[in-house]
Amino acid sequence: MPRFAANLSMMFNEVDFLDRFDAAAKAGFTAVEYLFPYDFPAEMVAEQLRNAGLSQALFNLPPGDWAKGERGLAALPERRDEFRQSVAKAVDYGQIIGTPLLHMMAGIAPHDDPATIASYRDSVSFAADAAGVAGIGLVLEPINSRDMPGYFLNDFNRAADLMADLSHPNIKLQFDIYHRQIIHGDVLVALEQMMPIIGHVQIASVPKRHEPGTGELDDYRIFAALDALGYQGYVGCEYRPAGGTLEGLDWLDKV
């Protein structure tokens, strides 16, 4: 059975963010992930995590101005200095909170423009080096263009090719099953082929991004495949509950 991490940005929204740690632990989770911790001091987040007896799976680097639609800075050459400052902030938070992984969002930018390609490659190497010094891994996640139009990294094969080209031991693939199905399909074959480079997995049903088992995929077969492939990391539950969070957790009893 995979190890599941509750995504506190999407789940347990019935309570304030800092109260979601305890709520997740009481619901039976042993680990959590979320988009961003930066609205709170890192020490405060670490205390909530510790008091709830939870492990941290990962969180994201600062994305720029999220409210204005920014989704990362890595592929934006004109934001290079701001990006590097965001890396330092994320690594500092990561060390205090104790995360093994940081996810670096690419940003809204053309994926075929030489300037954005060069910026992204430079950003990946810079962030991986900075995180590596702190003993933290860096993961890259392709995101589908339906949910996030114009997102720079919207192809799993391109992500894998970049990782192979850079050959940086600190960089892994964040394999989101929801995004994979929408972009390419062929989830089980891709998991088998890409397992050596996968550092984190996330799950949500397709197409409505609700609880596993409520969409077009056989999510339980996917969980069994992860076990068979020897996946040892967490599976982040990055889904939007169709109703109340607790009422929707009966899917866990079927795994």
Side-chain angles (χ1 to χ4, degrees), residues 1-4 223 227 252 255:
M1 176 178 174
R3 299 185 298 160
F4 294 104
F223 296 147
D227 283 343
L252 279 168
V255 180

Side-chain angles (χ1 to χ4, degrees), residues 35-250:
L35 294 179
F36 315 108
Y38 309 109
D39 286 341
F40 306 92
E43 293 81 2
M44 186 180 293
V45 177
E47 182 180 11
Q48 296 302 113
L49 188 74
R50 183 171 57 251
N51 289 345
L54 295 165
S55 297
Q56 184 71 46
L58 91 164
F59 56 83
N60 294 354
L61 272 68
D65 193 331
W66 187 268
K68 291 184 177 179
E70 293 185 341
R71 296 296 183 263
L73 305 172
L76 309 181
E78 70 278 10
R79 307 284 288 277
R80 180 175 181 268
D81 291 343
E82 185 181 350
F83 168 76
R84 293 194 168 198
Q85 292 171 7
S86 79
V87 171
K89 184 174 185 177
V91 170
D92 183 50
Y93 265 72
Q95 289 180 295
I96 294 170
I97 293 172
T99 186
L101 296 172
L102 289 169
H103 167 226
M104 189 187 82
M105 298 192 76
I108 306 299
H111 66 79
D112 54 355
D113 178 74
T116 59
I117 293 170
S119 175
Y120 186 68
R121 288 175 60 92
D122 177 72
S123 295
V124 171
S125 295
F126 179 86
D129 286 340
V133 170
I136 300 172
L138 185 76
V139 288
L140 311 177
E141 178 189 31
I143 296 178
N144 80 80
S145 297
R146 186 171 74 201
D147 283 54
M148 204 170 286
Y151 191 71
F152 177 84
L153 187 63
N154 60 3
D155 185 286
F156 277 70
N157 297 322
R158 192 170 349 115
D161 288 345
L162 173 67
M163 291 167 59
D165 188 36
L166 293 177
S167 191
H168 199 301
N170 201 41
I171 304 169
K172 294 289 185 179
L173 178 68
Q174 183 165 309
F175 193 108
D176 187 303
I177 290 161
Y178 170 81
H179 291 305
R180 172 71 200 195
Q181 174 66 5
I182 293 173
I183 297 171
H184 303 291
D186 214 15
V187 171
L188 292 178
V189 170
L191 279 174
E192 183 175 358
Q193 291 176 342
M194 295 183 166
M195 186 55 62
I197 63 171
I198 293 174
H200 187 64
V201 172
Q202 290 178 322
I203 186 73
S205 69
V206 183
K208 294 187 177 181
R209 205 167 190 173
H210 292 325
E211 288 85 350
T214 63
E216 65 191 37
L217 293 177
D218 185 344
D219 294 312
Y220 303 105
R221 185 178 178 189
I222 292 171
F223 296 147
L226 288 171
D227 283 343
L229 291 168
Y231 176 67
Q232 298 296 311
Y234 288 107
V235 175
C237 300
E238 197 183 41
Y239 65 81
R240 302 184 187 95
T245 300
L246 292 177
E247 291 80 358
L249 289 178
D250 57 350

